[in-house]
Amino acid sequence: MIKYLFNNRKHRADEEEDAASCAQTVVDLSPTELKTYPQAWLVLFFLVLLRTAVAVFQFTFSVVPSLTAEFYSVSLTGVNWLANVQCVVYVFCSFFTGWLFERLGVKRSLILAGLLCASGSAIRFLSTKLRSFPLVMIGQVIGSASSPLSLNIMTMFASTWFTESMRATAGMFVASNYGAILGMFMIPSITTKTEHISMTVFIVMMIAIVAFVPLMFMPAKPPTPPSLVQDQDRPSFFCGLKLLAKNHNFWILFVVHSLNVGISIAFGTIFTQIISPYGYTDAEAGQLNAIAFFAGTLGCSVAGPVLDKTKQHILFLRLIAPMVLVSDVGFIFIIQKDAYAAILFVMAINQFFLSFLVPVVIELGSETSYPVSEATTSSLLWQGAQVFGFLIVLMMDGVRDPHGDPPNNMRKALIIQAALAGVIMILSFAFRGRMARSEAIAWQKEQQQRFTKDESFEKSLHTLSDDHRHIDSDNNDASQVLMKE
């Protein structure tokens, strides 16, 4: 087996020394068949099921806050902290997920995520029997740790199981928030009284258990790697962080993704408060949010196949970012009294483009930071999104105008949101990163083809040499016969 050593090229001269020590990769150029195995789709279904269970877990109480507050005898602020603690846990755990994925691998990481979700759900169910708010908070903290473990792993999971032509599509399924849609429709419909809280939490626990069990029986990896670079050595977690620290294009994507998802988180969190001063009810706000989730899921679903088909990540980054800005500017003028249809239209457009941008940036983050592990880059990107989302909520809530027209309007918050969308667009055009991972794969394919041709040429030479030996042997035999005659 012939192996080649190559060092990945860097953008700047001062990075070459670090890259030489951290990014040296052993490349096997022996011909192998690259394919996505049928079991990859089954494993993807298990992960989507887990992501759905985690999302339903997260939305259990936030969609019925008044009933939850009454059931546990706490204020609405206390109920809000059941949601806030999830953000805190996500940010904290994301510091370790890249290292953890590197140590445990995909299968054991997902088993851990499923176990945490099921355990947290069981503790919450126990809290409903005791009517204990501290106990439900403990369950919330434990279960919330499953979110970064199941989401941050999306790029590592996709690169482990899927070929280059299907990777973005697989990531799209992981990123799509099916559980949020299920939670928003299911939980309010079955939880109409405080007595229903216990039953609802039990149902959520059973969903978590059903999602956890199959993970223990899934294969750890496909029979053969789906990519030429997948089975090669990568820099260690800390060495990868060192490389990322000098990769300014990755940090541009970090800010783009953090602002994009952060805006989505903040807007969804305070949307009811934004439109309620204009006379819209909580029911109407819920309908608009549900449509927004559908539009977002559609945007994410379209992005995956489009990216796999075209490979034009940078082009779509620069096409979609302006659309996010335009729709956010539209909110400033559209949110008025008796403008339900207009708000619905702009909100659907906004969430479609926001969600379309997510897989674009996630995949670009893995591309431009290669050979750093996808687990490391994805963890950092999603961690930044949670932090920015929390900060944007505080910022937008702080500019509420209690003496405005109408009172408590949040027009300034919408202006801030549009300004941040403008930053996203500017940074999207400032991005100059390379598709380093795709370039590495293309290089290896070229070397593999050369290797195959060289083998064929050597075989041809051996064949010709053998033929010559046979001809010489025949000539010698003929000469000896003539001499005897």
Side-chain angles (χ1 to χ4, degrees):
M1 184 175 292
I2 299 176
K3 295 189 174 182
Y4 292 83
L5 292 174
F6 78 96
N7 291 321
N8 292 278
R9 293 173 294 176
K10 300 298 167 184
H11 293 295
R12 297 176 303 185
D14 61 346
E15 295 180 28
E16 291 180 354
E17 183 177 350
D18 291 333
S21 60
C22 293
Q24 193 176 60
T25 308
V26 179
V27 182
D28 183 6
L29 297 180
S30 299
T32 55
E33 182 183 5
L34 303 178
K35 60 184 294 188
T36 297
Y37 289 87
Q39 55 263 45
W41 297 103
L42 179 62
V43 174
L44 175 61
F45 172 75
F46 291 157
L47 177 52
V48 172
L49 184 62
L50 174 62
R51 287 288 307 142
T52 301
V54 170
V56 173
F57 176 93
Q58 292 176 312
F59 280 89
T60 304
F61 301 118
S62 61
V63 293
V64 285
S66 299
L67 294 177
T68 303
E70 183 181 348
F71 183 84
Y72 286 107
S73 301
V74 296
S75 65
L76 286 174
T77 300
V79 176
N80 287 339
W81 269 104
L82 290 174
N84 293 341
V85 74
Q86 295 178 109
C87 178
V88 175
V89 171
Y90 196 111
V91 172
F92 176 77
C93 291
S94 290
F95 283 111
F96 309 100
T97 51
W99 175 83
L100 197 64
F101 296 154
E102 187 179 283
R103 296 296 178 184
L104 298 182
V106 171
K107 179 179 179 178
R108 288 187 289 178
S109 296
L110 293 181
I111 289 176
L112 178 59
L115 179 62
L116 288 170
C117 185
S119 301
S121 299
I123 294 173
R124 295 197 315 180
F125 178 64
L126 178 61
S127 77
T128 63
K129 300 304 179 182
L130 303 175
R131 298 258 179 155
S132 171
F133 187 74
L135 190 58
V136 75
M137 182 62 78
I138 292 173
Q140 195 78 353
V141 170
I142 293 174
S144 296
S146 63
S147 184
L149 286 172
S150 59
L151 182 57
N152 293 359
I153 204 172
M154 62 177 285
T155 49
M156 180 180 180
F157 170 84
S159 63
T160 299
W161 280 97
F162 292 86
T163 59
E164 284 293 312
S165 61
M166 296 182 179
R167 191 167 292 171
T169 300
M172 168 272 296
F173 281 111
V174 180
S176 295
N177 209 345
Y178 305 109
I181 298 173
L182 177 62
M184 283 202 163
F185 282 100
M186 179 188 74
I187 294 175
S189 64
I190 65 175
T191 315
T192 57
K193 301 177 182 178
T194 55
E195 294 80 10
H196 296 163
I197 291 290
S198 181
M199 177 191 66
T200 300
V201 174
F202 176 77
I203 293 173
V204 173
M205 179 184 72
M206 294 308 299
I207 293 174
I209 292 173
V210 169
F212 167 61
V213 173
L215 299 173
M216 295 186 291
F217 303 100
M218 64 175 274
K221 58 182 180 180
T224 59
S227 169
L228 289 171
V229 301
Q230 181 54 35
D231 229 21
Q232 312 306 332
D233 295 333
R234 297 287 190 95
S236 66
F237 175 71
F238 294 105
C239 198
L241 291 179
K242 185 178 179 181
L243 291 173
L244 286 179
K246 297 182 178 181
N247 188 339
H248 70 277
N249 281 298
F250 172 79
W251 294 109
I252 289 176
L253 294 175
F254 175 85
V255 177
V256 169
H257 182 72
S258 298
L259 286 176
N260 183 55
V261 178
I263 288 173
S264 181
I265 292 172
F267 188 72
T269 301
I270 65 173
F271 177 68
T272 302
Q273 302 171 50
I274 290 175
I275 67 172
S276 60
Y278 298 95
Y280 296 97
T281 65
D282 289 351
E284 289 173 323
Q287 294 166 5
L288 289 168
N289 260 324
I291 296 299
F293 273 113
F294 272 119
T297 300
L298 179 62
C300 206
S301 301
V302 171
V306 168
L307 291 175
D308 281 334
K309 186 71 174 178
T310 64
K311 298 298 181 184
Q312 296 296 322
H313 297 67
I314 297 176
L315 173 63
F316 282 107
L317 175 68
R318 293 170 181 168
L319 286 177
I320 300 300
M323 302 307 297
V324 174
L325 172 60
V326 170
S327 57
D328 279 330
V329 170
F331 281 126
I332 300 174
F333 304 99
I334 291 297
I335 296 182
Q336 300 289 340
K337 291 182 179 180
D338 302 321
Y340 183 89
I343 295 173
L344 175 62
F345 176 76
V346 175
M347 194 166 186
I349 294 295
N350 178 258
Q351 290 300 310
F352 178 89
F353 288 118
L354 278 172
S355 299
F356 193 107
L357 201 57
V358 170
V360 173
V361 178
I362 290 291
E363 281 294 308
L364 266 180
S366 298
E367 288 282 349
T368 197
S369 60
Y370 181 82
V372 178
S373 170
E374 292 90 348
T376 302
T377 58
S378 182
S379 294
L380 288 173
L381 290 173
W382 285 110
Q383 183 183 38
Q386 295 293 322
V387 173
F388 276 54
F390 182 73
L391 295 177
I392 294 171
V393 167
L394 295 179
M395 190 187 310
M396 294 175 72
D397 185 61
V399 296
R400 188 191 312 272
D401 188 359
H403 306 294
D405 181 24
N408 292 318
N409 75 79
M410 303 190 71
R411 190 173 292 109
K412 293 179 181 177
L414 296 175
I415 295 173
I416 290 174
Q417 178 176 266
L420 294 176
V423 174
I424 292 175
M425 187 186 73
I426 292 171
L427 291 177
S428 296
F429 282 92
F431 177 76
R432 292 292 185 274
R434 293 164 44 236
M435 301 285 285
R437 185 177 63 183
S438 295
E439 290 174 8
I441 292 173
W443 183 88
Q444 290 179 51
K445 286 181 179 178
E446 181 183 348
Q447 297 304 312
Q448 188 182 72
Q449 291 172 355
R450 290 182 180 179
F451 173 74
T452 304
K453 289 180 180 178
D454 290 344
E455 275 196 331
S456 300
F457 182 68
E458 289 178 3
K459 288 180 181 178
S460 299
L461 288 179
H462 284 303
T463 302
L464 289 173
S465 178
D466 290 339
D467 290 343
H468 281 300
R469 281 197 295 270
H470 287 306
I471 292 172
D472 291 341
S473 177
D474 291 342
N475 289 337
N476 290 333
D477 291 342
S479 298
Q480 291 176 3
V481 170
L482 291 173
M483 291 175 65
K484 287 180 180 179
E485 291 178 352

